[in-house]
């Protein structure tokens, strides 16, 4: 009997397994302890706040004033740094949200809000998300801007960034989802500089020519190895007389992806995911099959104890 139970568990456990989230930087600790260090001129520049938020209870408020230069380098900045473990050839999905207040400065120069920086000393980071004038832009290795869109203030902007890290343009690639829509299909390009590592910087970093105070909010940062790892749970449809049973989706269709976040108190509604542009799949394999198997396993255990 014991051998039979061990065999059943060996069969069931792979079906129960889920891909793990690699890292969370969502500020749900109530502070910035999820990050490696801060580059800030004072604690007031990088504050963990309870409003506005996209998800959970906390978000980051990053403020930059002209002259803020905590590391004696180019530009003005206040940023959090996370030293991850992105190796050449690794592949990850990253999801996070950003809110630009209604008074966010409009200037025809760079204002980075998220970057993956190289470990080398100098030059532009290989991956930059930034504001330029009235646009959001994504630039790679300071040489190509494969995506840009209009800057929208007062509403949370939701990003999913899929990347394979490599200095080889025939190996490296990116994909991008913005507010629930895939806006950039797989785009082949170098995503690292040769011989350099990579690490995340989150906050606000801008040209020192910008005079007005800049504030940006960040929330919900999560890193995973699959798209499913960074998505919220899919809510089952509400059944009625003319629809399939709850939890079922017509064959060949992908269920809609709906964020689990509350409405922020800025008065803006967080982005809603429409039908996924690629098949997402289920976050745990096996579905009802493994539930039935576990029930059967429970019966075997009960009978075994009775013997």
């Amino acid at each position: 009997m014991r051998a039979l139970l061990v065999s059943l568990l060996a069969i069931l456990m792979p079906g129960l397994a889920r891909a793990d989230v690699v890292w969370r930087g969502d500020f749900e600790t109530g502070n910035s302890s999820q990050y490696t260090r801060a580059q800030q001129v004072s604690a007031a520049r990088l504050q963990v706040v309870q409003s506005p938020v996209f998800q959970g209870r906390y978000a980051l408020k990053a403020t930059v004033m002209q002259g803020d230069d905590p590391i004696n380098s180019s530009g003005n900045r206040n940023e959090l740094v996370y030293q991850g473990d992105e190796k050449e050839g690794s592949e990850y999905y990253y999801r996070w949200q950003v809110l630009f207040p209604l008074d966010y400065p409009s200037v025809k120069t760079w204002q980075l809000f998220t970057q993956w920086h190289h470990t080398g000393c100098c030059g532009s980071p290989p991956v930059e998300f930034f504001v330029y004038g009235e646009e959001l832009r994504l630039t790679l290795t300071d040489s190509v801007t494969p995506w840009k869109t209009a800057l929208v203030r007062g509403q949370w902007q939701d990003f999913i960034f899929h990347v394979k890290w490599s200095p080889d343009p025939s190996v490296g690639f990116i994909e991008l989802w913005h507010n629930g829509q895939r806006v950039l299909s797989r785009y082949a390009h170098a995503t690292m500089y040769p011989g350099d590592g990579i690490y995340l910087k989150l906050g606000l970093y801008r040209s020192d020519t910008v005079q007005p105070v800049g504030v940006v909010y960040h929330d919900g940062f999560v890193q995973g190895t699959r798209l499913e790892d960074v998505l919220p749970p899919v809510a089952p449809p509400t059944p009625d007389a003319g629809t399939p049973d709850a939890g079922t989706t017509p064959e060949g269709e992908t269920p809609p992806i709906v964020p689990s976040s509350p409405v922020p108190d800025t008065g803006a509604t967080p982005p809603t995911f429409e039908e996924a542009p690629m098949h997402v799949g289920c976050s745990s394999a096996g579905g009802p099959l493994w539930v039935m198997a576990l029930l059967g396993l429970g019966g075997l255990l009960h009978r075994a104890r009775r013997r």
Side-chain angles (χ1 to χ4, degrees):
M1 177 58 70
R2 179 175 296 178
L4 174 60
L5 296 180
V6 170
S7 299
L8 282 171
L9 286 172
I11 294 171
L12 290 173
M13 289 308 293
L16 298 175
R18 295 181 59 178
D20 291 331
V21 168
V22 174
W23 174 70
R24 289 190 186 276
D26 56 8
F27 307 105
E28 291 307 298
T29 54
N31 53 38
S32 60
S33 61
Q34 295 162 310
Y35 291 78
T36 306
R37 63 181 182 274
Q39 296 177 341
Q40 58 182 343
V41 296
S42 74
R45 296 294 201 269
L46 295 174
Q47 296 178 301
V48 175
V49 298
Q50 291 185 283
S51 178
V53 298
F54 180 86
Q55 59 83 51
R57 296 178 57 197
Y58 299 99
L60 174 72
K61 178 184 179 182
T63 303
V64 171
M65 300 181 182
Q66 191 175 37
D68 286 354
D69 188 8
I71 61 173
N72 193 27
S73 184
S74 62
N76 295 159
R77 77 181 79 210
N78 291 294
E79 297 177 292
L80 291 176
V81 176
Y82 176 65
Q83 297 280 173
D85 193 31
E86 287 87 343
K87 300 289 194 302
E88 182 176 339
S90 62
E91 184 177 341
Y92 294 108
Y93 289 84
Y94 306 88
R95 185 185 182 197
W96 75 107
Q97 296 81 40
V98 185
L99 175 66
F100 301 94
L102 296 177
D103 60 353
Y104 189 81
S106 177
V107 287
K108 285 291 187 75
T109 189
W110 51 273
Q111 301 184 79
L112 276 68
F113 56 91
T114 306
Q115 57 171 312
W116 278 266
H117 205 284
H118 54 298
T119 54
C121 70
C122 310
S124 296
V127 176
E128 306 170 272
F129 284 84
F130 63 101
V131 175
Y132 184 89
E134 289 298 306
E135 290 182 340
L136 296 178
R137 295 184 178 184
L138 165 61
T139 293
L140 304 176
T141 62
D142 201 27
S143 60
V144 61
T145 300
W147 175 80
K148 59 184 178 181
T149 193
L151 169 65
V152 177
R153 295 175 176 81
Q155 297 180 17
W156 284 102
Q157 307 299 303
D158 188 68
F159 298 93
I160 297 177
F161 182 52
H162 177 202
V163 56
K164 184 164 187 176
W165 296 108
S166 176
D168 185 343
S170 67
V171 176
F173 66 81
I174 63 168
E175 285 183 293
L176 182 66
W177 286 258
H178 179 233
N179 292 341
Q181 294 293 319
R182 183 163 57 179
V183 293
L184 183 65
S185 297
R186 187 169 296 206
Y187 183 88
H189 198 275
T191 53
M192 303 174 73
Y193 293 129
D196 278 346
I198 204 90
Y199 61 93
L200 172 69
K201 301 189 77 176
L202 196 75
L204 184 57
Y205 168 45
R206 66 188 196 179
S207 169
D208 56 15
T209 63
V210 182
Q211 297 183 5
V213 175
V215 174
V216 63
Y217 295 89
H218 293 267
D219 200 4
F221 204 102
V222 61
Q223 174 185 357
T225 56
R226 304 186 308 171
L227 180 59
E228 294 93 322
D229 299 340
V230 302
L231 292 175
V234 177
T238 302
D240 59 42
T243 60
D245 293 338
T248 63
T249 302
E251 185 175 356
E253 294 185 13
T254 303
I257 304 170
V258 181
S260 57
S261 58
V263 177
D265 63 2
T266 58
T269 303
T272 299
F273 278 80
E274 299 179 6
E275 184 168 325
M278 63 179 290
H279 180 67
V280 174
C282 184
S283 60
S284 60
L289 179 61
W290 65 263
V291 176
M292 295 173 64
L294 279 180
L295 291 173
L297 178 59
L300 287 174
L301 289 169
H302 179 67
R303 289 193 294 271
R305 284 195 294 268
R306 291 178 61 186
R307 292 179 182 178

